[in-house]
């Protein structure tokens, strides 16, 4: 197993949580995928065994059950696009053909009544998701969902451009692309819907709150890059994750790249915790719930990522951790040397240095 790599336990000071109805939600999502015929039969059978419903039940552990089901079906649909079109399908190496196809799907998300892509199962699934979104979302949340889908689509076209040329973006471009191509931002409206509130724009779009959300995207996708390395790096197909970027552009051996990537996510985790606690101290109850949901999302992706059959199976085991560590490998408060995100460190107040007792 030449691509094997032992992934160590990652730093996670966030407690695990799961909605008690996770088993049922997972079964319903499998049924949804079959009803809507998502993906090729082969892809679909893989997806329904990946406990995506359980993942959603971890993201919204005390949320509305219908919204958790909606989130689960949507995440499965996203994998239908990400695996089916982008990473394993023909469009994934042809960005100029991917653009029109994703643009048509985006129109369905925005105007489900549009008589186009009839007979396309991903479009039919998306119509159903949109209809159910309307039952739980405010008009503004629906619009943000469509906008977030657009930014996800834009980033996968960027990724497809690299795939088509077999090139590897540098670390700054990769970090920027990864904020969106992990489809984390499209989940955000559902975090609000799951608890039946709407975060007001003056809070959600405040620079520091957006920084907190972006930090969560970073941690979730860097963790995914560790947990999915085995799945992605086997075989001959093109793959892109932070370990490949660090090996390619920084001349690191796989073990060194792993150490650097872990240190990067640890530093962002430390920063996220400081910012979350700072914002929670003065924010509205809705903002506190939103920040709590960001934490749950991070931990959900970790608990699901180390255990899902998507990343490790008895027939093809990945060397994934079964536990987490409660200290970071790197607790430096210095910004990462990644210009697209280095501004995050300016959004967080300095750690208060304990006053020196006067003698
Ligand atoms: C993730 O990146 C691709 C998304 C489309 C997956 C859908 C999942 C979510 C919206 C929740 C975020 C969760 C993550 C990133 C685990 P990638 O590397 O293609 O995922 P893979 O599973 O193939 O490693
Ligand atoms: Mg199909
Ligand atoms: Mg309800
Ligand atoms: Mg992907
Ligand atoms: Mg993938
Ligand atoms: Mg991955």
């Amino acid at each position: 197993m030449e691509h094997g790599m032992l992934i160590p336990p990652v730093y996670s000071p966030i407690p695990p949580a799961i909605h008690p109805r996770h088993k049922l939600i997972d079964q319903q999502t499998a049924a949804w995928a079959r009803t809507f015929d998502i993906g090729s039969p082969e892809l679909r059978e893989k997806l329904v065994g990946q406990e995506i419903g359980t993942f959603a039940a971890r993201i919204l552990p005390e949320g509305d059950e219908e919204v958790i089901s909606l989130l689960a079906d949507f995440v499965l649909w996203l994998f239908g696009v990400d695996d089916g079109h982008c990473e394993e399908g023909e469009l994934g190496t042809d960005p100029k053909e991917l653009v029109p196809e994703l643009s048509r799907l985006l129109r369905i998300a925005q105007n489900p009544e549009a008589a186009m892509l009839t007979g396309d199962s991903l479009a039919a699934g998306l119509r159903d998701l949109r209809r159910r979104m309307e039952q739980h979302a405010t008009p503004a949340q629906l619009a943000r969902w469509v906008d977030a889908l657009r930014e996800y689509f834009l980033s996968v076209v960027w990724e497809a451009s690299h795939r088509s040329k077999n090139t590897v973006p540098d670390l700054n471009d990769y970090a920027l692309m990864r904020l969106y191509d992990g489809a984390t931002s499209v989940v955000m409206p559902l975090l609000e819907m799951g608890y039946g509130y709407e975060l007001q724009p003056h809070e959600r779009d405040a620079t520091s709150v957006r920084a907190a959300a972006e930090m969560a995207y970073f941690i979730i996708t860097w963790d995914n890059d560790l947990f999915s390395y085995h799945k992605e790096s086997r075989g001959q197909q093109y793959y892109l994750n932070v370990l490949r970027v660090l090996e390619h552009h920084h001349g690191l051996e796989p073990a060194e790249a792993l150490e650097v990537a872990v240190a990067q996510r640890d530093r962002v985790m430390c920063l996220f915790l400081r910012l979350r606690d700072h914002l929670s101290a003065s924010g509205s109850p809705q903002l506190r719930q939103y920040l709590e949901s960001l934490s749950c999302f991070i931990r959900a992706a970790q608990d699901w990522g180390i255990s899902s059959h998507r990343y490790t199976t008895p027939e093809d085991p990945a060397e994934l951790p079964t536990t987490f560590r409660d200290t970071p490998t790197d607790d430096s408060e210095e910004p990462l040397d990644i210009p697209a995100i280095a501004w995050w460190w300016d959004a967080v107040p300095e750690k208060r240095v304990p006053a020196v007792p006067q003698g």
Side-chain angles (χ1 to χ4, degrees):
M1 200 172 48
E2 52 173 33
H3 63 282
M5 169 135 50
L6 178 70
I7 306 296
V10 299
Y11 168 49
S12 186
I14 300 166
I18 189 164
H19 192 280
R21 308 257 289 172
H22 61 93
K23 279 211 178 79
L24 181 68
I25 292 166
D26 194 50
Q27 287 163 4
Q28 287 169 342
T29 290
W32 184 86
R34 293 194 174 108
T35 301
F36 282 91
D37 207 21
I38 299 300
S40 67
E42 194 194 7
L43 173 59
R44 185 163 55 250
E45 279 321 295
K46 277 200 265 176
L47 293 176
V48 299
Q50 294 175 351
E51 295 145 313
I52 294 169
T54 310
F55 180 28
R58 292 185 183 281
I59 296 174
L60 294 169
E62 293 174 32
D64 179 299
E65 203 175 319
E66 279 179 24
V67 177
I68 302 172
S69 264
L70 173 55
L71 173 59
D73 297 352
F74 179 43
V75 171
L76 187 139
W77 183 90
L78 283 165
F79 281 128
V81 173
D82 215 61
D83 296 346
H85 277 343
C86 302
E87 289 176 27
E88 296 162 16
E90 286 173 12
L91 290 175
T93 51
D94 196 347
K96 63 188 185 317
E97 290 302 320
L98 188 56
V99 169
E101 188 58 22
L102 295 179
S103 301
R104 290 179 202 115
L105 284 173
L106 193 63
R107 194 60 176 171
I108 302 291
Q110 201 163 36
N111 290 92
E113 72 285 0
M116 48 192 286
L117 293 185
T118 48
D120 180 301
S121 56
L122 278 176
L126 186 58
R127 278 197 180 87
D128 179 70
L129 295 169
R130 157 79 199 207
R131 182 186 58 75
R132 291 156 63 200
M133 289 283 299
E134 283 169 17
Q135 290 165 16
H136 298 275
T138 65
Q141 286 168 336
L142 259 180
R144 289 189 79 96
W145 176 68
V146 174
D147 286 346
L149 208 49
R150 185 182 295 106
E151 70 190 11
Y152 162 66
F153 286 168
L154 182 62
S155 70
V156 297
V157 170
W158 189 5
E159 188 186 62
S161 156
H162 280 289
R163 191 180 295 108
S164 71
K165 295 178 293 187
N166 198 23
T167 52
V168 178
D170 67 22
L171 182 60
N172 189 58
D173 272 0
Y174 180 69
L176 181 56
M177 182 189 300
R178 198 71 177 121
L179 288 181
Y180 305 107
D181 79 4
T184 42
S185 70
V186 288
V187 168
M188 301 307 282
L190 288 114
L191 299 186
E192 297 177 30
M193 291 156 53
Y195 292 97
Y197 68 95
E198 183 176 54
L199 190 62
Q200 294 305 300
H202 74 271
E203 286 197 308
R204 192 201 299 107
D205 299 328
T207 303
S208 55
V209 177
R210 179 164 63 86
E214 290 189 4
M215 289 173 204
Y217 307 162
F218 182 97
I219 297 163
I220 290 166
T221 53
W222 249 237
D223 282 351
N224 172 269
D225 285 357
L226 306 180
F227 304 146
S228 65
Y229 182 79
H230 176 84
K231 164 175 97 69
E232 290 167 353
S233 66
R234 72 185 155 204
Q236 299 303 311
Q237 91 266 26
Y238 176 90
Y239 72 99
L240 184 55
N241 65 34
V242 66
L243 299 181
R244 178 147 193 218
V245 169
L246 291 169
E247 287 169 35
H248 186 92
H249 287 284
H250 299 247
L252 302 181
E253 294 298 322
E256 296 169 324
L258 177 64
E259 197 181 317
V260 171
V262 169
Q264 289 170 336
R265 54 85 64 205
D266 284 0
R267 273 159 73 166
V268 175
M269 179 69 96
C270 293
L271 189 71
F272 170 77
L273 296 173
R274 259 165 59 211
L275 180 56
R276 180 197 67 180
D277 295 346
H278 168 73
L279 293 170
S280 292
S282 58
S284 67
Q286 291 80 9
L287 180 59
R288 286 203 294 278
Q289 176 62 60
Y290 182 80
L291 295 163
E292 169 66 19
S293 287
L294 289 178
S295 297
C296 285
F297 192 7
I298 292 170
R299 179 67 198 229
Q302 294 167 335
D303 283 317
W304 176 75
I306 63 171
S307 61
S308 171
H309 278 49
R310 183 169 174 81
Y311 307 110
T312 185
T313 64
E315 302 74 47
D316 184 15
E319 296 184 271
L320 296 181
T322 54
T323 55
F324 297 92
R325 50 183 287 162
D326 51 20
T327 53
T329 64
D330 184 343
D331 64 359
S332 164
E333 294 178 29
E334 290 301 307
L336 291 178
D337 186 16
I338 303 178
I341 61 171
W343 65 269
W344 289 346
W345 276 260
D346 299 329
V348 184
E350 306 263 312
K351 215 190 239 171
R352 196 168 295 142
V353 182
V356 181
Q358 300 296 309

